[in-house]
């Protein structure tokens, strides 16, 4: 899994820039190492210490069973992420 901050403001029009200017955009790449398709559970820890959990259903693997790329837009800056925090 890779954490990369993305903000392609130049590709947006003025309205789009205003909408996402104060947002944090992250792109995560997930690889299926075990062969079974499972839901993806991501725990986000923000710089202010709060946490949030996103659950992505297993259907996300239907187009590609080996690799999935997801983009997340967050209001807060992320300090760390944890994959499958309940395992």
């Amino acid at each position: 899994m890779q954490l990369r901050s993305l903000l392609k403001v130049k590709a947006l029009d003025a309205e789009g820039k205003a909408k996402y200017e104060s947002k944090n955009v992250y792109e995560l790449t997930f690889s299926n190492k075990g062969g079974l398709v499972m839901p993806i559970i991501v725990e986000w820890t923000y710089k202010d210490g709060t946490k949030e959990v996103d659950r992505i259903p297993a259907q996300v693997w239907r187009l590609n069973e080996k690799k999935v790329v997801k983009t997340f837009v967050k209001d807060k800056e992320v300090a760390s992420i944890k994959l499958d925090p309940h395992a």
Side-chain angles (χ1 to χ4, degrees), residues 61-79:
W61 299 103
R62 73 185 176 278
L63 297 176
N64 186 340
E65 292 182 12
K66 304 271 186 223
K67 178 176 145 181
V68 171
V69 178
K70 293 289 287 179
T71 302
F72 300 86
V73 178
K74 301 294 182 182
D75 291 326
K76 301 177 186 179
E77 190 173 349
V78 173

Side-chain angles (χ1 to χ4, degrees), residues 6-14 16-18 20-21:
L6 300 175
L7 195 51
K8 297 181 181 179
V9 177
K10 292 179 184 176
L12 299 173
D13 60 11
K17 286 180 186 179
Y20 292 104
E21 190 171 35

Side-chain angles (χ1 to χ4, degrees), residues 24 26 44-54 73-80:
N24 297 284
Y26 299 94
W44 303 86
T45 302
Y46 298 105
K47 289 209 171 179
D48 66 3
T50 61
K51 294 184 179 192
E52 176 186 16
V53 174
D54 280 327
V73 178
K74 301 294 182 182
D75 291 326
K76 301 177 186 179
E77 190 173 349
V78 173
S80 67

